[in-house]
């Protein structure tokens, strides 16, 4: 867990990390934070691949021979601008002819897959420069086994603080702070009243939304859902709202702003995520399930419009006895967004 936290931080700062697995060993560097000097350093070690998700590869018309991953050979004459334009769709319409992309096939893509997973965990664009290394890797770099990367998001959560916080929705409010032991973002449980642990608890899993929750964005319904959920729990007299730091359906605020910029170009919310290289929803709902279990709950009345969230909670061992609709917040600015969530993500709106 310690090495995993260091690796995420290193990638954000533009440092490569060492990945080891069945395919040998490789240096991996996030495409987003790469510099010309780092790129030259990697090239001096051997042939460099640009690892992309299948979603991003499909946008670029590159072959993903490994299913969910494409291993694109870095052309000899390609510089940093080419790498970043390949990773970041912001300039796709301005620079439509970046190919042709020559994708590798054969051999293992495990190291490339792990590099992309690390980039996602670091809330960077899911694209990495990967170069195999024979023998000893350069000293001083964080090294991980491929299997260790898969631990991201599954760290144990520890309650570290709690205090009474009177709320507009209810004066009987209490906020509990949970910290993952892998150094990732903290998450919060807002408990109202004294919910009976033996009965189904009225519960909302709310993913952080800086734009909707804090500055009143009209592009989504998140702020309205947060207010309505707290008000409904307050009216009921007892319940829990989990505030999970999984901004932008798990892709981070910077990538969410990139998705918004793509929506301004005419793409819907799902298409924008795919062009960035992400899935529709990258959130890990095991976090919410683990917090609820830590609080002593096993059955929930889940406030959501998303049937997939119900299925995910049940898959995590919680019994969802009722789905409580939360249909609020439609505006002229978010109607298309909500319609897309209903049509493509199955939300019941």
């Amino acid at each position: 867990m310690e090495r995993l936290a260091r690796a995420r931080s290193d990638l954000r700062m533009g440092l490569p990390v060492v990945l080891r697995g069945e395919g040998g060993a490789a240096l991996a560097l996030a495409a987003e934070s790469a510099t010309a000097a780092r790129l030259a350093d990697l090239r001096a070690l051997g042939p460099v691949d640009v690892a992309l998700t299948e979603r991003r590869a499909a946008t670029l018309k590159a072959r993903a021979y490994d299913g969910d991953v494409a291993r694109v050979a870095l052309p000899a004459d390609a510089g940093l601008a080419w790498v970043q334009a390949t990773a970041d769709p912001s300039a796709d319409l301005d620079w439509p002819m970046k190919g042709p992309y020559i994708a590798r096939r054969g051999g293992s893509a495990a190291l490339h897959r792990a590099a992309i997973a690390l980039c996602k965990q670091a809330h960077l664009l899911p694209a990495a420069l990967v170069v195999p290394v024979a023998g000893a890797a350069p000293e001083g770099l964080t090294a991980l086994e491929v299997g260790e990367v898969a631990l991201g998001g599954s760290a144990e959560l520890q309650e570290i603080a709690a205090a009474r916080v009177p709320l507009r929705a209810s004066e009987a409010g209490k906020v509990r702070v949970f910290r993952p032991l892998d150094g990732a973002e903290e998450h919060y449980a807002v408990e109202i009243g004294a919910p009976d642990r033996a009965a189904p608890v009225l519960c909302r899993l709310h993913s952080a939304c800086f734009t909707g929750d804090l500055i009143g964005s009209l592009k989504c319904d998140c702020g309205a859902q947060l207010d309505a959920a707290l008000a409904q729990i307050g009216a009921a007299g007892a319940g829990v709202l989990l505030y999970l730091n999984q901004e932008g359906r798990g892709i981070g605020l910077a990538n969410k702003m990139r998705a918004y910029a793509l929506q301004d170009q005419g793409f819907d919310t799902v298409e924008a995520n795919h062009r960035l290289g992400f899935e529709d929803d990258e959130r890990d709902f095991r976090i919410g399930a683990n917090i609820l279990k830590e609080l002593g709950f096993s059955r929930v009345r889940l406030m959501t419009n998303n049937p997939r969230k119900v299925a995910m909670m049940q898959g995590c061992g919680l019994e969802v006895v009722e789905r409580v609709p939360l249909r609020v917040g439609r505006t002229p600015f978010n109607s298309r967004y909500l319609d897309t969530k209903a049509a493509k993500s199955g939300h019941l709106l």
Side-chain angles (χ1 to χ4, degrees), residues 185-270:
E185 297 91 343
E186 294 169 354
H187 307 281
Y188 319 122
V190 181
E191 186 172 345
I192 289 177
D196 184 355
R197 267 55 178 175
V201 61
L202 182 61
C203 175
R204 164 75 178 164
L205 271 64
H206 188 88
S207 297
C209 178
F210 167 76
T211 49
D213 298 343
L214 297 184
I215 61 175
S217 169
L218 302 177
K219 282 182 67 69
C220 64
D221 56 342
C222 301
Q225 286 192 325
L226 175 63
D227 292 342
L230 285 171
Q232 193 165 335
I233 295 172
V240 175
L241 182 138
L242 301 186
Y243 197 86
L244 306 178
N245 277 307
Q246 300 193 99
E247 180 82 41
R249 297 202 293 271
I251 67 176
L253 182 59
N255 286 320
K256 185 170 93 169
M257 292 301 98
R258 291 179 172 123
Y260 277 9
L262 290 172
Q263 290 172 37
D264 288 340
Q265 294 178 14
F267 301 104
D268 67 35
T269 181
V270 171

Side-chain angles (χ1 to χ4, degrees), residues 307-327:
R308 289 179 58 199
K309 191 180 289 188
V310 173
M312 290 175 186
M313 286 293 95
Q314 291 174 330
C316 291
L318 288 169
E319 181 185 355
V320 181
V321 301
E322 180 186 2
R323 183 187 70 82
V324 181
L326 198 62
R327 301 190 186 101

Side-chain angles (χ1 to χ4, degrees), residues 30-213:
E32 176 179 341
S33 57
T35 64
R38 296 286 188 201
L39 179 58
D41 290 342
L42 292 187
R43 274 199 156 114
L45 296 174
V48 180
D49 289 346
V50 181
L52 302 170
T53 67
E54 185 276 334
R55 295 293 192 187
R56 181 64 182 145
T59 296
L60 297 169
K61 303 298 188 291
R63 294 292 185 92
Y65 291 114
D66 301 296
D68 58 336
V69 173
R71 295 174 285 158
V72 173
L74 182 66
D77 59 348
L80 183 63
W82 185 95
V83 170
Q84 294 184 335
T86 295
D88 187 348
S90 299
D92 279 354
L93 298 183
D94 298 327
W95 192 358
M97 302 299 291
K98 293 185 289 292
Y101 290 98
I102 308 302
R104 300 190 195 278
R105 61 195 309 175
S108 174
L111 300 177
H112 300 71
R113 189 172 288 110
I116 290 174
L118 268 179
C119 288
K120 285 186 176 184
Q121 291 173 24
H123 292 161
L124 299 169
L125 287 167
L129 297 163
V130 180
V131 58
V133 290
E139 295 184 4
L141 298 179
T142 302
L144 288 171
E145 298 292 329
V146 167
E148 293 177 313
V149 177
L151 296 174
S154 62
E156 181 182 347
L157 290 152
Q158 183 178 41
E159 184 177 349
I160 59 169
R164 186 179 68 85
V165 181
L167 307 172
R168 285 194 300 268
S170 171
E171 295 181 2
K174 187 174 188 178
V175 175
R176 302 175 183 269
V177 179
F178 288 83
R179 179 178 296 162
L181 298 186
D182 66 352
E185 297 91 343
E186 294 169 354
H187 307 281
Y188 319 122
V190 181
E191 186 172 345
I192 289 177
D196 184 355
R197 267 55 178 175
V201 61
L202 182 61
C203 175
R204 164 75 178 164
L205 271 64
H206 188 88
S207 297
C209 178
F210 167 76
T211 49
D213 298 343

Side-chain angles (χ1 to χ4, degrees), residues 1-8 10 118 142-145 148:
M1 288 296 183
E2 293 169 355
R3 287 194 303 274
L4 191 57
R6 286 198 294 270
R8 290 194 296 257
D10 289 350
L118 268 179
T142 302
L144 288 171
E145 298 292 329
E148 293 177 313

